[in-house]
Amino acid sequence: MPQVTLTVNGKTHTVEVEGRTLLVELLREKLRLTGTHVGCDTSQCGACVVHIDGNSVKSCTTLAVMADGASVTTIEGLAAADGTLHPMQEAFREYHALQCGFCTPGMVMSAVDLVAKNPQGLSEQEIREGLEGNLCRCTGYHNIVKAIAAAQDVMHGKRTSIAAAAE
Amino acid sequence: MNVVTPFEGIGASVRRKEDVRFLSGRGQYTDDINRPGQAHAWILRSQHAHARIQGIDTAAAAAMPGVVAIYTSADLAAIGGLPCGWQIHNKDGSPMAEPKHPVLAEGKVRHVGDPIAVVIAETRAQARDAAEAIIVDFEVLPAVSQTTAALAADAPRVHDDVAGNLCYDWHIGDKGAVDAAFAAAAHRVVFETTNQRLVPNAMEPRCAVGDYDTTTGEHTLFTTSQNPHVIRLLMGAFVLQIPEAKLRVVAPDVGGGFGSKIYHYAEEAIVTWAAAKLGRAVKWTADRTEAFMSDAHGRDHVTRAELALDKEGTFLGLRVLTHANMGAYLSTFAPCVPTYLYATLLAGVYSTPAIYAEVKAVFTHTVPVDAYRGAGRPEATYLLERLVDVAAKQCGFDRVKLRRRNFIATDAFPYQTPVALQYDSGDYFSTLDQALKTADWAGFEARRAEARMRGKLRGIGISTYLEACGIAPSAVVGSLGARAGLYEVGVIRVHPTGSVTVLTGAHSHGQGHETTFAQLVADKLGVPIANVDIVHGDTAKVPFGMGTYGSRSLAVGGSAMDKAMDKIIAKAKRIAAHLMEASVEDVEFERGTFRVAGTDKTKTLTDVSLAAYVPHNYPIDEIEPGLEETAFYDPKNFTYPGGCHIAEVEIEMETGRVSMVNFTAVDDVGRVINPMIVEGQVQGGVAQGIGQALLEACVYDQDGQLMSGSMMDYTMPRADDLAPVSVATHTTLCTHNPLGVKGCGEVGAIGSPPAVINAVVDALRDYGVEHIEMPATAPKIWSIIHGKSV
Ligand code: FES
Ligand code: FES
């Protein structure tokens, strides 16, 4: 069986996998990082999004072996070590951008990458288009869009905190 | 000490207690649970809509790596079929047809996805590989998938013993009165429509983990359920014959339900049974493709309706004939959806004096259909609100004035409808006025003209609706065929130092109960929500409760908690009276503080709880120690949320694509506990309603093949399909529950589809269209605009 060595949330792991093992299976089943979810089998929903070397990727459509040597960040690794939430997490809470929470890890990871890649700032419509790869059945997206808009101001240093953005 | 600042009680938009867990990947969904020694199940499902199983050869599969066991129906001979929880009676009083719903197919498969065999292996991949190696010898039979076709004399039979595929032929209302109304009418308007089949598609696929303790003989089922006690009752008593005391059902964090996780499914019984048989835990997790062919679907009605009006537009009578598709088997609550959750709602917000509805439920070779967000009420609302628009157009009435003319007067409550329900409260005029103002209805023509300059067709549509939720008085539903009571339980456990644990039979799968319910406690007992823990979803912890569906958690579950808190206060007052050496009649209680009336003598709830658990100075002969109370609350009536939704759309002429540009919802959901959560519930419901109106359809071909069996084929609403939704509430209190609450979980999905279609039809008014069926997809609209089919 192939061996994969990868860094997940700052910790290095060497794991034996089948050739067909998906990255999401490695994360959930071998490393027991169950924050990353599986919501579909056709790469439509984005519940499985993680960052590989700083890029958002659908871990259900990535073979574990493809992540060999990579640095992976999952939702469990987004907050600061002391538990301080990332501005995107904070914004999702402040704007009630989650209900059942199942799409949330993927949604947050996608949103963080979307904002990081667009330092010029995104309009509401651009945020909606940027979420094309993520499905949420609960919220109707409106509050997710608002949360991302608020988080980008904090992530780009235009405001100091989500609470300030919420004023 | 328990001091609540800032205010966290009823009416505060408190941020949710559950969010940090979900936002940091620490939710515990069923698939996140792994038991020691766990094996994995994969279910072999039928690819045919209808076939006789001539034989199943499992020899090659059994020899594959990692395979632990393979079971077919022959192995399950001792276990029962999946029960149906609601029995409808035919017009002639005879009971509905109720064919057996086997856990694994017995001799025949009846829909694509019908489970045939289960493979249990060391890993999920091994189980799946082995399932592919099972050889099933099928004799493929003709199938029927469409609702009305199933009743044809020569239609293939789904069940040999159900003639004409007719499950039941039911009616409600006064036929004679309706016939008389039509005879006297100045206008008669006919409207025919299909309310298309939908797939609920909660983002979390279903999952079930069975475990068995060989020492104690205890079974545990972890499952993605909205109502674990109901599953324990149905599975324990009817399928596996396990006494309640030996069966624990846990529904941990659940990733959305929308109805689809109410029902008792075969996989739950399979993993529970197999775990005991093998003496090791067994996990099954659906993939999305399986979800499409095994989760209960929603809607699927074909209806003809006729409305009689007098010269001025007053509604005189309504006649409805609906064919409802049950699918191949009766899912847990399927029979009540097109009857008591649909036909009883056909008065809507109107004072139509005579209504008669007939409902024929049919079996087809499709996935079972059951309640999906709104359940019957969206179908009734869609029918009425399209019918009113069609009537306005045909008879030359203004669509808003026609509605207003026929509204039930605000002083007419309680209002008895001709179809069984008695509405307790409502104010349809105010929600209408507020919505017209917010949506700037009066200014619409200018926006239409402006859009036209940009080459777009703009339309506006309205829906004034009502629904019934908070299901429901046990005696009433019992007389209508429910095989269960529909009360809820609440336990309030005040701990020695004054923190509170609440046990509730309601289940949260996105609704935010851990916050809202804590707010009820903060409001009444004055305990900060940080010190209130809500426990739900575990039959080993919570007394028997009925779970969450039909927007009942707050109206029924919240009322149970309120009642339990009343008991807590009554007892605590007696203890406080003792501590303050006063008479109990003189003790007042408000938000955490007991006071001897007219004095400055006070005790806190914490003083009292401590005394209750450390009863040194305590009237032990008169009052038992401890401070914990249980209440079961059985509702006195349904609750009746209602309101007005207005949709504004633009159609791109070259493509026919509809864009939502504005959506206004003004809903009366009764007293609002957490406005932020209510707004979120309405937003989410509206998104599903817009999904139904514009995008979603579960399609079977004539032969019963599922054509929309994945998220590549079934269009789920995405962020850029939707527009901001303006949500407001206008409250009239529910008169019969202690909180005055009505429920907000389904209003969005109920009120919105007709508003959107009314807007689309309005946008196309120059093209002579009277109606466009849901979903109003670009190709359909393009064909209308360009006068040719695609
Ligand atoms: S699980 Fe749906 S896209 Fe990955
Ligand atoms: S919060 Fe439930 S799917 Fe998005």
Side-chain angles (χ1 to χ4, degrees), chain B residues 373-388:
Chain B
R373 201 171 197 169
R377 292 151 288 161
E379 295 92 317
T381 302
Y382 180 74
L383 184 72
L384 279 178
E385 291 306 292
R386 282 295 300 129
L387 180 57
V388 172

Side-chain angles (χ1 to χ4, degrees), chain B residues 47 62 138 191 195-196 275 298 375 436 614 618 650 676 701 719 739:
Chain B
Q47 72 267 43
F138 289 111
F191 175 60
N195 201 293
Q196 84 271 33
L436 290 173
V614 189
Y618 195 85
E650 274 188 9
M676 174 191 82
D701 73 6
L739 297 168

Side-chain angles (χ1 to χ4, degrees), chain A residues 12-141:
Chain A
T12 303
H13 303 266
T14 300
V15 207
E16 282 203 340
V17 295
E18 285 186 72
R20 63 177 167 179
T21 301
L22 301 167
L23 177 58
V24 68
E25 293 169 340
L26 181 155
L27 294 170
R28 289 183 55 82
E29 284 156 32
K30 304 263 180 194
L31 305 184
R32 293 287 188 242
L33 289 168
T34 54
T36 303
H37 296 154
V38 177
C40 75
D41 48 10
T42 51
S43 203
Q44 303 284 304
C45 77
C48 60
V49 169
V50 298
H51 294 176
I52 300 182
D53 298 328
N55 296 311
S56 65
V57 170
K58 286 180 169 169
S59 64
C60 76
T61 325
T62 307
L63 292 170
V65 290
M66 292 161 70
D68 192 30
S71 172
V72 176
T73 306
T74 70
I75 188 73
E76 289 93 341
L78 194 61
D82 69 353
T84 307
L85 295 181
H86 184 280
M88 190 62 75
Q89 292 167 307
E90 192 59 51
F92 267 58
R93 178 170 146 80
E94 178 63 30
Y95 288 89
H96 187 31
L98 63 154
Q99 291 182 20
C100 79
F102 196 80
C103 73
T104 308
M107 200 62 88
V108 167
M109 296 310 281
S110 289
V112 167
D113 188 41
L114 177 69
V115 169
K117 295 260 164 66
N118 290 281
Q120 78 289 358
L122 295 162
S123 69
E124 182 198 319
Q125 187 55 29
E126 286 167 334
I127 293 172
R128 286 183 182 272
E129 283 161 16
L131 293 178
E132 188 58 29
N134 291 77
L135 286 171
C136 173
R137 192 55 151 168
C138 295
T139 63
Y141 304 98

Side-chain angles (χ1 to χ4, degrees), chain B residues 512-707:
Chain B
H513 293 173
E514 291 168 38
T515 307
T516 310
F517 291 171
Q519 288 181 258
L520 297 182
V521 177
D523 198 85
K524 192 147 177 162
L525 299 184
V527 181
I529 65 168
N531 292 351
V532 183
D533 253 20
I534 310 297
V535 174
H536 64 95
D538 186 343
T539 63
K541 294 181 182 163
V542 181
F544 195 100
M546 291 305 296
T548 287
Y549 37 82
S551 308
R552 70 192 297 277
S553 303
L554 190 59
V556 191
S559 295
M561 283 172 223
D562 192 71
K563 209 173 146 190
M565 285 193 281
D566 284 340
K567 293 188 190 178
I568 291 277
I569 292 168
K571 179 174 180 180
K573 272 188 179 172
R574 294 172 63 204
I575 301 170
H578 172 83
L579 295 177
M580 297 188 285
E581 295 170 342
S583 104
V584 67
E585 293 76 38
D586 293 337
V587 176
E588 296 169 340
F589 177 73
E590 206 194 334
R591 289 210 175 109
T593 304
F594 298 87
R595 176 185 303 273
V596 180
T599 74
D600 55 4
K601 262 196 191 172
T602 61
K603 287 284 173 191
T604 64
L605 181 63
T606 309
D607 298 331
V608 171
S609 60
L610 199 60
Y613 288 96
V614 189
H616 295 165
N617 165 23
Y618 195 85
I620 204 94
D621 294 335
E622 291 153 40
I623 311 175
E624 287 175 27
L627 198 51
E628 168 168 336
E629 296 289 348
T630 299
F632 286 81
Y633 176 82
D634 200 76
K636 298 185 181 66
N637 190 351
F638 287 88
T639 62
Y640 299 98
C644 178
H645 288 187
I646 295 177
E648 207 165 317
V649 302
E650 274 188 9
I651 296 172
E652 194 173 61
M653 295 180 71
E654 302 76 42
T655 60
R657 183 169 192 267
V658 181
S659 301
M660 293 301 308
V661 284
N662 273 318
F663 196 98
T664 304
V666 179
D667 301 300
D668 176 1
V669 299
R671 175 168 283 129
V672 173
I673 309 300
N674 184 319
M676 174 191 82
I677 288 179
V678 168
E679 188 178 331
Q681 288 292 310
V682 175
Q683 302 255 10
V686 167
Q688 282 173 333
I690 293 172
Q692 170 163 31
L694 297 180
L695 303 166
E696 299 178 41
C698 177
V699 181
Y700 280 93
D701 73 6
Q702 299 292 327
D703 300 326
Q705 266 309 322
L706 177 58
M707 308 304 282

